[in-house]
Amino acid sequence: MADFLFEPYAPVTIPIARGGLFAVRRVYCVGRNYAEHVVEMGNDTRDPPFFFGKPADAIVVGGADIPYPPQTADLHHEIELVVAIGNDGANIASADALTHVYGYAAGLDMTRRDLQAQAKKAGRPWDMAKGFDHSAPIGTIEPASAIGHPDSGAITLAVNGVERQRGDLADQIWNVADTIAYLSQFVALRAGDIIMTGTPAGVGAVVRGDVLEGSIAGVGTVRTRIA
């Protein structure tokens, strides 16, 4: 038994819809993967994908409330398809990429937009804008063996019952297979990794007391309240 300086933290887990828990290793996020959202953020749709990360312990499950984070006055919602990796791989071909997927979920990439804007202007990393505590509410994971590999279907987000975001998975600039293949050229993917695949247009600010309800057709839902 190793002589730890302090007790190691328990692994972060996401419930699986049909039973069991998915232990999370790393969280990768795709930037600017829906053309309309790329345009609304003032960027060019022709750019290749890029990635940023969140710590695994930013994940919130079970529909729990999340606190309004410090150091921001502009907290934004972003509804996203979450891909759960079940098989290891590096330099994965697009044709083989979906064999590395365990399942899918709906998730929220919460963003301190004012901090992100400051970071962009200064040419600095987005870590404090994206990777803060409680910044990744995620619903239950549906195994691909049960639902297949969704490549189309509505992706929506409502705040206090009013729809804010609506898109279709088919609108992704880089589909799941191509995203996995591209990312795996830079890092070896492992079972337990998740990929948040970008958000459609309609992102906007939320305040304390707001209830966020996201849905992806054929995949599932995610819900949280800003406390």
Side-chain angles (χ1 to χ4, degrees):
M1 189 71 163
D3 186 15
F4 291 109
L5 178 62
F6 53 85
E7 188 69 21
Y9 293 104
V12 173
T13 60
I14 302 172
I16 298 169
R18 301 169 198 285
L21 297 171
F22 183 92
V24 180
R25 190 183 83 112
R26 294 180 179 173
V27 181
Y28 299 101
C29 304
V30 183
R32 304 171 190 163
N33 199 27
Y34 287 77
E36 289 185 2
H37 175 59
V38 172
V39 171
E40 79 174 345
M41 298 303 291
N43 298 295
D44 193 323
T45 60
R46 294 170 296 179
D47 290 341
F50 69 92
F51 300 89
F52 58 91
K54 291 179 181 277
D57 63 5
I59 291 173
V60 177
V61 298
D65 292 357
I66 62 171
Y68 195 96
Q71 303 299 320
T72 185
D74 197 20
L75 177 66
H76 278 213
H77 56 74
E78 299 188 6
I79 179 68
E80 312 209 354
L81 176 69
V82 177
V83 179
I85 299 297
N87 294 313
D88 299 355
N91 295 310
I92 301 166
S94 291
D96 300 325
L98 296 183
T99 65
H100 293 265
V101 176
Y102 172 76
Y104 300 89
L108 295 170
D109 169 15
M110 302 304 295
T111 302
R112 293 195 276 207
R113 192 70 74 198
D114 44 2
L115 297 193
Q116 185 187 35
Q118 293 167 19
K120 286 180 178 179
K121 185 175 181 179
R124 294 173 178 168
W126 293 5
D127 295 57
M128 293 300 100
K130 289 286 193 177
F132 53 94
D133 299 338
H134 317 291
S135 61
I138 294 177
T140 56
I141 293 174
E142 284 282 0
S145 59
I147 67 168
H149 297 281
D151 56 8
S152 63
I155 174 170
T156 64
L157 180 86
V159 177
N160 301 326
V162 178
E163 187 174 286
R164 290 266 194 96
Q165 289 185 265
R166 174 171 287 273
D168 194 287
L169 297 180
D171 297 334
Q172 294 179 100
I173 298 169
W174 293 77
N175 63 28
V176 170
D178 289 343
T179 296
I180 291 171
Y182 191 83
L183 178 57
S184 74
Q185 296 176 40
F186 297 90
V187 293
L189 295 175
R190 304 295 186 201
D193 291 343
I194 66 170
I195 304 171
M196 303 184 75
T197 59
T199 195
V203 300
V206 290
V207 299
R208 289 181 177 88
D210 282 349
V211 176
L212 285 61
E213 296 175 294
S215 178
I216 302 177
V219 174
T221 61
V222 59
R223 183 187 186 280
T224 193
R225 184 180 72 91
I226 311 299

